[in-house]
Amino acid sequence: MPFDHYGVLSGTLHGHHRDQPDDQGRWFHVNMEVDAPDGRYHCAVDVDSHKSSVGVRWKTFTLDAAALEPAVTLPPGYHELDRRPESGALDYLRHPALVDRSGVLFERRPPSWLQQLLDLFGSRPWHAGSNIEAATALEVILVPGQRVLVFGEPFDNRPHADLGMHNVHQNQGDPADSQWWPENGIWQDGATIAHRPDGRYDVFLNKFSSQADRTDGAGHPPT
């Protein structure tokens, strides 16, 4: 079934750091510290998989504030979101501002001239590469002191549990033989969004190569 809780944290970025590498030399997360009225949140953004055979994909682009309403108008703090577009929830495959309209997948970043042409026509292809490349792409948009919005699943909210967000990535399309199949759902995708000085928002989306690019109404890959 989909997550019991899904929402967005709005706050001020205090700082960020990468996980220490494991014995395979991989970075698993970029960890963001985000200040909100109820405390400092730890937000773990997946930039690799614990399975070396399952890669990460990502994209970054910039949107006007209107494309992300009503989420960008919420006050600082964590906000539970209904799994529907009107709430401000995100869905990589259905949200009109997030969908890749090119249908093109590049295994590596395309040449700059081609990327500029694709951007002109509203194309936002997924990039595939190393965990270091994915982490770097996210870190480029992170500036301490700026406002950020982190979409995903909140940490266990029992008393004395740490404040934080995880599952900050696509949360649908996992295959039937995956342990994450039961958590598939639409309008519950995670993302990292940073407010720019010019009033627009930088968006970082991330998913795993095992996740489908199309899903049914339950968030499962089509059969």
Side-chain angles (χ1 to χ4, degrees):
M1 60 180 296
F3 296 147
D4 289 333
H5 298 281
Y6 167 75
V8 60
L9 169 67
S10 174
T12 301
L13 181 65
H14 175 78
H16 60 85
H17 64 276
R18 298 180 183 180
D19 280 350
Q20 293 297 313
D22 69 351
D23 57 2
Q24 294 181 339
R26 291 184 176 272
W27 306 96
F28 292 147
H29 303 89
V30 171
N31 300 279
M32 302 166 53
E33 295 176 298
V34 180
D35 290 329
D38 54 341
R40 181 166 293 167
Y41 282 71
H42 168 217
C43 303
V45 184
D46 295 81
V47 290
D48 201 358
S49 169
H50 288 275
K51 290 184 176 181
S52 59
S53 61
V54 179
V56 66
R57 291 175 178 164
W58 72 92
K59 65 171 72 176
T60 56
F61 50 90
T62 304
L63 292 174
D64 291 332
L68 295 166
E69 291 180 351
V72 294
T73 63
L74 294 171
Y78 172 76
H79 304 272
E80 193 81 1
L81 298 177
D82 292 335
R83 292 169 184 79
R84 54 186 180 84
E86 296 82 5
S87 73
L90 299 184
D91 187 308
Y92 291 6
L93 310 181
R94 294 168 179 82
H95 193 295
L98 305 186
V99 172
D100 174 21
R101 294 185 288 275
S102 70
V104 178
L105 173 65
F106 291 96
E107 290 302 318
R108 293 286 176 179
R109 187 179 299 276
S112 59
W113 66 268
L114 179 55
Q115 185 62 64
Q116 291 173 4
L117 184 61
L118 291 169
D119 290 343
L120 181 63
F121 288 97
S123 170
R124 302 188 182 107
W126 290 97
H127 303 294
S130 71
N131 43 23
I132 299 300
E133 290 174 309
T136 300
L138 170 57
E139 290 165 343
V140 164
I141 71 170
L142 299 180
V143 179
Q146 74 186 145
R147 182 188 180 216
V148 293
L149 294 97
V150 183
F151 291 78
E153 183 182 22
F155 287 169
D156 191 326
N157 59 3
R158 292 174 299 176
H160 311 300
D162 290 338
L163 294 171
M165 301 285 287
H166 65 141
N167 283 323
V168 185
H169 52 69
Q170 178 170 307
N171 293 307
Q172 59 181 308
D174 281 297
D177 61 352
S178 165
Q179 69 183 86
W180 297 285
W181 164 272
E183 294 184 344
N184 281 337
I186 63 174
W187 294 104
Q188 62 166 23
D189 287 333
T192 307
I193 297 177
H195 194 203
R196 296 159 50 102
D198 65 4
R200 305 182 76 201
Y201 287 83
D202 288 327
V203 179
F204 179 86
L205 307 183
N206 47 311
K207 67 176 183 176
F208 303 116
S209 59
S210 58
Q211 293 177 313
D213 296 325
R214 294 185 297 115
T215 62
D216 60 21
H220 297 312
T223 57

